[in-house]
Each structure stands twice: as C-alpha cells, then as structure tokens.
Amino acid sequence: DRIVDSALPEFRLALCYRPELDNRELLAADRVVALRVKTSDLGRLGIVGEALQSSGKWLMIHADSGVGELVNELEKVARQFPRLNIYVPHLAWPRRDGVDDPNWGESIAALSRIPGLVLGISAMAHFSREPFPHRDVEGLALHAVKHFSSEHVAVASDYPLFERSLYGQYMRLAGGWVRSIHPNWSSAVESAIFNPRG
C-alpha cells in the first residue's frame, strides 16, 4: 500500500492474485502493472481476467504445478481472453527442485504459439547448478529464445533474491543471450511491461 501511494515513480508492482478477493480493485492503481497468478488459480480468473484484458495490464504467471500444467491452463485462458497480455518469467521454470522438467522443451514451443505471451529470461541462478555466469542455463535460454520473436522476449534478473551488486551483470548476461539469437533486440518489451506510460 505504501508503494502504491508513494510519490516514487520508479516503482511498479505485480500484486499476487487472491481468489477470495475482488482483485479488480487492486488493478486500479497506475503503479500496478501486473497480477501474479499461480497456475492452479488460472481457471478461477473470471471477471478479473476480463479486467486485466481491458486494462492492458499483465497476467504474470507463477508455475507452481510445472510447465506442462502451465501450458494447459494458459491455452484455456488465452482462448477465453484473446487480447490478454501474458508474462511468463523465469524461463518458464525449466527445472524443479534441481531436476530438469521433461516437459519443458515441448512446452516452450507451445507457449510461443500463445498470442500476447512474453517470455522472461530471468532467475538464471535459481535454475543453475554452476556459479555465475551459469553456463548450464545458457543452453536453456538459447533454446527458449529461438522459439520467440524479439518482441516476445524480456530480460530480468531475480533481484532481490541475490546480491544487489550483481544486478547489472545478470541483465547483461541475459541480454547477451537474447542478442545472440536476435541481434536487434532491445529492452522495449521490459519498458512496455514495467513502465507502460513511458
């Protein structure tokens, strides 16, 4: 509430969806640019999905049930709300509890076919078994980026879940991976998500 009411223009919020509340009120604030929804709650969006779609704000996913289930649920949501902006962060969770998700490769291809979906290259350290620069995640990122046009890829880190001093390094790392596939890629997608009014 303090950030929503603050005079600090650099802050943007993705609030967590609460099925028991009327989340449309949460979307009214300009600083709120997204609603973070668990895969298990996607089927319960109802009028909130319509409010997200009409406002142009983003549905941000948390894949709590694995990427295979995420694809199934997002395909249903996309049919119900065809103009919805969807942001899938964290490489669409290629590993769960340190184990490769066997559905991830084919799920990336399926996600790339959903209109309005943007994939975030982020949380590299979370999925890596190696120290920075996380060479074991680079192949996953490149595979994912190949399936998406440059307008449907965003980069981020996982700040504040690691040291603040590494933020720039993570952004350069992810941006370099994306540019190796899309040389003309820019951060316009992140600007559209996190600073929609310029």
Side-chain angles (χ1 to χ4, degrees):
D1 288 342
R2 286 195 304 269
I3 292 175
V4 167
D5 295 336
S6 79
L8 300 172
E10 65 270 22
F11 287 107
R12 299 292 179 269
L13 300 172
L15 298 178
C16 293
Y17 174 69
R18 300 287 185 249
E20 67 278 5
L21 302 176
D22 183 350
N23 293 261
R24 292 175 296 171
E25 292 179 17
L26 300 175
L27 295 172
D30 285 343
R31 290 180 198 273
V32 176
V33 296
L35 193 61
R36 183 177 179 266
V37 180
K38 294 179 180 180
T39 303
S40 56
D41 287 330
L42 284 172
R44 303 168 69 184
L45 281 179
I47 57 175
V48 174
E50 182 56 48
L52 272 173
Q53 179 174 254
S54 63
S55 71
K57 296 188 179 187
W58 291 79
L59 170 65
M60 182 181 289
I61 303 302
H62 177 67
D64 54 313
S65 306
V67 69
E69 184 64 22
L70 171 64
V71 169
N72 291 338
E73 293 302 315
L74 273 183
E75 287 174 338
K76 294 175 194 172
V77 167
R79 283 192 296 273
Q80 187 175 3
F81 307 109
R83 297 181 322 280
L84 184 64
N85 295 319
I86 302 169
Y87 181 61
V88 177
H90 306 335
L91 295 164
W93 293 268
R95 293 180 175 143
R96 297 179 70 200
D97 302 319
V99 178
D100 290 355
D101 188 321
N103 298 315
W104 182 79
E106 64 189 48
S107 296
I108 285 293
L111 289 172
S112 73
R113 293 188 290 269
I114 296 176
L117 190 145
V118 171
L119 179 73
I121 309 302
S122 57
M124 295 79 82
H126 178 74
F127 301 111
S128 182
R129 301 178 184 117
E130 300 178 9
F132 186 88
H134 310 302
R135 299 271 184 234
D136 61 326
V137 176
E138 181 177 5
L140 297 170
L142 296 178
H143 173 82
V145 170
K146 286 177 184 175
H147 282 84
F148 288 84
S149 68
S150 62
E151 297 81 20
H152 291 268
V153 177
V155 302
S157 60
D158 202 15
Y159 180 77
L161 300 181
F162 60 77
E163 294 180 43
R164 180 173 57 184
S165 62
L166 295 177
Y167 179 79
Q169 293 177 41
Y170 272 94
M171 295 299 286
R172 284 188 293 279
L173 178 68
W177 290 343
V178 174
R179 284 189 186 93
S180 72
I181 305 295
H182 300 297
N184 296 320
W185 174 86
S186 74
S187 59
V189 176
E190 292 95 276
S191 296
I193 296 172
F194 299 113
N195 194 18
R197 289 170 175 53

